[in-house]
Amino acid sequence: MEIFKQPERLSAPICAKCGIAMTWINSALIKAERTVLHKFTCQNCGNSSQIRTPAKLAKE
C-alpha cells in the first residue's frame, strides 16, 4: 500500500451525525482492487468515513 497526500479534487463527505464536512486523514493505493482508499474523520464527534476512487496506474 502506498500513502498519498490529501486529494485536491475530492470533496470531503458530510458527517451523518453532525452535518459538517469531515477532515481528510490519508489515502492509500490498493493495487489489487485498482482503487485509492481515502479516509476521513469528523473533528466534532470522531465519526469516520471512507471513499474509494479509481486508481490511475501506469502500465507496469
Side-chain angles (χ1 to χ4, degrees), residues 3-60:
I3 304 299
F4 296 94
K5 294 181 181 177
Q6 181 174 3
E8 295 178 11
R9 297 181 184 161
L10 184 65
S11 58
I14 303 299
C15 179
K17 295 179 183 178
C18 301
I20 61 173
M22 301 177 101
T23 303
W24 174 81
I25 299 298
N26 68 17
S27 297
L29 175 63
I30 305 172
K31 285 186 180 180
E33 297 177 16
R34 297 184 60 94
T35 60
V36 178
L37 177 65
H38 308 278
K39 297 179 182 181
F40 296 85
T41 190
C42 177
Q43 294 298 308
N44 189 44
C45 70
N47 192 25
S48 62
S49 181
Q50 299 179 352
I51 297 175
R52 292 176 188 260
T53 58
K56 297 177 183 176
L57 300 176
K59 292 184 179 181
E60 296 177 355

